[in-house]
Amino acid sequence: MKLRSSIGEQTNHKHQPSESHCPLDSTSITISPTPPPPVSPKSEEPSQTQTSTTSKIPFRPRKIRKLEKPENTSDSSNSKPFQENNSRIKPPKISIQQIRALPPRIVTKTLSCEGEIECAIRHLKASDPILSRVIDSYNRPVFSSFDRPFLALAKSILHQQLAPKAGTSIYTRFISLCGGESSVVPESVLAINPQQLRQIGVSARKASYLHDLANKYKNRILSDSSIVDMDDKSLYTMLTMVEGIGSWSVHMFMMNSLHRPDVLPIVDLGVRKGVQLLYGLEELPRPSQMEQLCEKWRPYRTVASMYMWRLVDTKSLPSVTTTTTLSVAVVSAPNQQKQQQQEQQQQPQALQLIDPISGIANLGVCAWGEP
């Protein structure tokens, strides 16, 4: 019994806390509140500010969080500037009403249109009485055919600085080499090498001109449709970019192929001689003077220029029944031949301008009909 009691005492002794492990007793510890510091009347205001500043500190992160929310969420107020920036990038839209309000494109009638030659003759006879006598004495020009622009330009290049028969012969060989007039396209011209063109009588320089014209078509710088739709000034600028096509070639193309009504070839020797013969000028008018002398022929200077060629071809002015303000001098054939020889020596580049009537026939688009 003593043994069991001793064992029980040992176990109880183990579970009971010892004084060394628990040095503090709840009954022995008394917590007294710390007394607040004495407050003086002067220190009341700083304390209030201190409490107010401490009260604002917890709200600062909340304000930061509010600024961070629009980055994650789509807010309409913050998205407006972004939408405005995007609207600047987009091109402005044109309404259908604005498109309808645009002015229509004015297309000039060609001389091949019905009744256009009659309108031109009436205008020229009313505006220039001297030219009226020439118009009454010769047949009217007729525009009946219309060649494709590429074919007409290639034809004009081949006829440059050649006699009519020689140009026609080379052109016929060129057509057969391409496989017919319908096959004269940029691709077929580029497929012909300069040696093949040389064999049919085309010079190396003209071969480079033909290839440059074909390349302009291939690169879509020029096209048949764009040439037809261009105005006179734009067409002159674009065609003179082609190698071998100058001012005279462009004017002949516009007159004889496109049938443009208001073209004045100021560098053409035949037209200049016709103006000199018509108005009795002592000297051959310069190209800069042609615009002023022929201003009254607008907007049908093409038709008037063709009558100048006819006037030079006959080498005589029709008989005058009424007096006019301008004195007309008729140049005799021998004197005109001497003058022509002198001009050929002074201006070797004008060889392609001689014999203009034959040149028109070579282009095959203008004929002379009934008076």
Side-chain angles (χ1 to χ4, degrees), residues 55-343:
S55 63
K56 292 181 180 179
I57 292 174
F59 292 94
R60 289 181 181 175
R62 294 180 183 178
K63 293 182 180 179
I64 296 172
R65 290 171 186 173
K66 288 181 180 179
L67 295 174
E68 292 177 353
K69 284 182 180 180
E71 296 179 358
N72 297 327
T73 60
S74 60
D75 190 6
S76 61
S77 62
N78 294 328
S79 61
K80 288 182 180 179
F82 182 76
Q83 293 176 359
E84 291 177 358
N85 293 332
N86 286 339
S87 63
R88 295 175 185 175
I89 299 174
K90 296 179 180 179
K93 295 182 179 180
I94 301 175
S95 61
I96 299 175
Q97 296 178 355
Q98 292 177 353
I99 295 174
R100 292 177 180 176
L102 294 175
R105 180 175 175 270
I106 300 174
V107 180
T108 306
K109 290 184 179 180
T110 61
L111 293 174
S112 55
C113 296
E114 184 179 359
E116 195 65 16
I117 292 294
E118 288 74 12
C119 293
I121 290 175
R122 284 197 301 266
H123 172 76
L124 293 174
K125 293 176 69 174
S127 60
D128 193 347
I130 303 177
L131 181 62
S132 178
R133 301 194 309 270
V134 180
I135 294 174
D136 294 335
S137 302
Y138 298 105
N139 298 336
R140 297 180 180 182
V142 178
F143 297 86
S144 58
S145 61
F146 182 83
D147 291 335
R148 291 181 293 107
F150 182 80
L151 177 63
L153 290 172
K155 189 175 183 179
S156 65
I157 291 175
L158 293 172
H159 279 86
Q160 286 180 0
Q161 298 181 352
L162 291 177
K165 293 182 179 180
T168 304
S169 177
I170 293 176
Y171 176 73
T172 304
R173 299 173 195 166
F174 175 76
I175 292 300
S176 61
L177 185 63
C178 294
E181 287 189 347
S182 60
S183 300
V184 180
V185 292
E187 292 77 11
S188 62
V189 174
L190 291 174
I192 303 173
N193 54 41
Q195 295 180 355
Q196 293 175 333
L197 292 174
R198 183 62 179 172
Q199 292 177 357
I200 62 174
V202 180
S203 63
R205 181 173 296 181
K206 287 186 179 182
S208 65
Y209 296 163
L210 291 172
H211 286 166
D212 184 68
L213 175 64
N215 284 320
K216 292 287 192 301
Y217 268 75
K218 181 182 178 181
N219 298 329
R220 297 182 180 180
I221 299 175
L222 293 173
S223 65
D224 288 348
S225 59
S226 64
I227 287 175
V228 173
D229 294 335
M230 285 183 192
D231 59 287
D232 293 346
K233 291 183 179 180
S234 301
L235 182 60
Y236 180 88
T237 303
M238 294 300 295
L239 290 182
T240 50
M241 295 172 58
V242 182
E243 296 181 1
I245 296 181
S247 177
W248 185 84
S249 299
V250 174
H251 288 156
M252 296 300 104
F253 170 72
M254 293 169 65
M255 294 172 64
N256 303 313
S257 297
L258 300 182
H259 307 165
R260 297 290 175 92
D262 193 28
V263 180
L264 179 65
I266 57 176
V267 298
D268 186 83
L269 184 60
V271 177
R272 292 166 62 191
K273 281 183 174 293
V275 172
Q276 181 187 14
L277 182 62
L278 181 66
Y279 296 125
L281 303 178
E282 296 180 357
E283 296 180 356
L284 187 70
R286 296 187 298 272
S288 59
Q289 297 174 339
M290 291 290 292
E291 291 283 349
Q292 183 178 0
L293 291 171
C294 305
E295 182 67 24
K296 63 180 71 175
W297 297 345
R298 288 180 181 270
Y300 296 105
R301 293 181 295 178
T302 298
V303 179
S305 299
M306 291 183 172
Y307 278 105
M308 294 300 100
W309 285 328
R310 181 59 63 188
L311 181 61
V312 173
D313 186 45
T314 57
K315 298 181 176 63
S316 63
L317 192 68
S319 60
V320 181
T321 57
T322 59
T323 59
T324 57
T325 56
L326 293 175
S327 60
V328 180
V330 180
V331 183
S332 60
N335 294 332
Q336 187 176 5
Q337 291 178 358
K338 291 180 181 179
Q339 184 179 0
Q340 184 176 358
Q341 292 177 359
Q342 292 177 359
E343 291 175 355

Side-chain angles (χ1 to χ4, degrees), residues 36-56:
V39 178
S40 61
K42 295 182 180 179
S43 62
E44 288 178 359
E45 295 177 359
S47 63
Q48 292 177 359
T49 57
Q50 184 177 1
T51 56
S52 62
T53 54
T54 55
S55 63
K56 292 181 180 179

Side-chain angles (χ1 to χ4, degrees), residues 8-18:
E9 291 177 355
Q10 290 178 359
T11 57
N12 294 330
H13 179 73
K14 289 181 182 180
H15 291 286
Q16 292 179 357
S18 61

